[in-house]
Amino acid sequence: ENLCTTMCTNGGRYCSTDPDGDFDSELTGADVVKESVRRLCLWEQFGDDGVGLEWWDYVRSFSENCDSADQFNDEDCVKEVMEDLNIDYDLVEECIFNHGDLNGKDKNDLLQKQLDDKAQQGVVIMPVAYVNGVVVRGALEFATIFKAICAGFASGTAPFICTECANCENEKACVLGGKCTTKASNTVSTNTFVGSLGGVAIFFTVIGAALFYRQQMKMRDEVRGILKEYMPVEKNGLTAVDVDTAIEQDDDDDFRMT
């Protein structure tokens, strides 16, 4: 019963995990559900144009001012945020109540639609997000979602922030600040790339020279064997031993020359 009270609304219909893992603390999963439906109402009011600037302004301001363990469920903090943005707090609360009182046991239309859409879309693994109709599953970190959004733009149409922050070590700080202050450590500079390429070229040159010299020595050994086998024992005053010695001397001269 305690879990249903702290984690769920509407008689256990809509639930969320406890944010701080303490079921007896003031911050509960039910608070997360209420904030979720509040944002759904804000989108219902301001999202008709497909952009909903007021929704984005509220989320940003809430994150900056109220997104903490002691203020997340503080209605006064929420009111201050909405007043600063010229959003009618009472109108939003009325929207929540009209769609289904969270303290009752009946359905809340907005939350129920989210669950119905989840079932219709076949979302069975959590957490999950949809970016341009494509499912993104797993650890939904900021960098993952950011790169997925930027990847959805056609070539040459991505906003500046995508290019600026794509290789930034801290994508979130880059997006919030509008500029990357520290490039990712795994990027390779031009000088490093050229130096590496030169090292590889030198390595293969040395290997090639060694193989060439080995092949030359092998051919000389084969020639030496043929001469020993077919050369008469004595001819023009030279013996096979004399010829072999001459070949070895020639090899030594070639080795010194190389």
Side-chain angles (χ1 to χ4, degrees):
E1 182 179 355
N2 185 44
L3 291 181
C4 285
T5 302
T6 60
M7 295 179 62
C8 306
T9 65
N10 300 81
R13 290 179 182 273
Y14 315 110
C15 306
S16 176
T17 56
D18 196 284
D20 56 7
D22 184 359
F23 297 116
D24 295 321
S25 68
E26 294 184 1
L27 181 59
T28 67
D31 295 324
V32 176
V33 175
K34 182 173 183 178
E35 180 59 28
S36 297
V37 73
R38 177 182 285 131
R39 297 183 183 188
L40 289 173
C41 276
L42 284 169
W43 185 260
E44 182 179 86
Q45 294 180 24
F46 302 108
D48 289 341
D49 59 355
V51 178
L53 289 178
E54 291 85 353
W55 186 93
W56 291 102
D57 290 338
Y58 171 79
V59 172
R60 175 187 54 78
S61 184
F62 181 92
S63 298
E64 294 175 352
N65 298 285
C66 305
D67 194 7
S68 61
D70 58 339
Q71 289 188 303
F72 187 92
N73 57 359
D74 186 349
E75 291 299 315
D76 289 335
C77 185
V78 173
K79 289 180 180 178
E80 290 179 6
V81 168
M82 289 190 177
E83 288 177 0
D84 291 340
L85 299 173
N86 294 321
I87 296 175
D88 191 331
Y89 172 84
D90 293 332
L91 189 61
V92 175
E93 290 299 302
E94 183 181 349
C95 169
I96 297 174
F97 182 82
N98 290 339
H99 281 289
D101 184 12
L102 299 182
N103 295 320
K105 294 185 178 180
D106 294 332
K107 296 180 181 180
N108 179 282
D109 296 339
L110 293 177
L111 292 173
Q112 190 60 43
K113 185 178 185 304
Q114 299 300 306
L115 293 181
D116 294 342
D117 288 345
K118 168 181 174 294
Q120 183 179 0
Q121 296 292 334
V123 179
V124 295
I125 300 176
M126 299 296 286
V128 64
Y130 280 80
V131 178
N132 294 326
V134 179
V135 178
V136 180
R137 292 190 173 97
L140 300 182
E141 299 177 352
F142 181 90
T144 303
I145 299 299
F146 170 68
K147 291 177 180 176
I149 293 174
C150 289
F153 289 94
S155 179
T157 65
F160 166 78
I161 202 68
C162 288
T163 304
E164 176 68 16
C165 300
N167 296 318
C168 195
E169 185 174 359
N170 189 333
E171 291 96 338
K172 184 175 183 179
C174 178
V175 172
L176 293 176
K179 182 179 181 181
C180 181
T181 57
T182 306
K183 292 294 183 181
S185 58
N186 60 348
T187 57
V188 180
S189 65
T190 302
N191 292 337
T192 302
F193 176 78
V194 173
S196 299
L197 189 62
V200 171
I202 293 174
F203 172 79
F204 281 106
T205 299
V206 173
I207 294 298
L211 291 176
F212 176 80
Y213 179 77
R214 182 175 178 275
Q215 184 67 22
Q216 292 296 313
M217 294 299 296
K218 184 177 180 181
M219 291 178 61
R220 290 179 183 277
D221 290 340
E222 291 176 354
V223 171
R224 183 184 294 113
I226 293 174
L227 290 175
K228 284 183 177 180
E229 183 175 354
Y230 291 101
M231 181 175 287
V233 176
E234 292 187 4
K235 185 177 182 180
N236 297 329
L238 296 175
T239 65
V241 174
D242 295 330
V243 173
D244 185 52
T245 302
I247 293 175
E248 290 177 352
Q249 291 176 349
D250 183 58
D251 288 344
D252 293 339
D253 291 340
D254 290 344
F255 179 76
R256 285 193 295 268
M257 290 178 64
T258 57

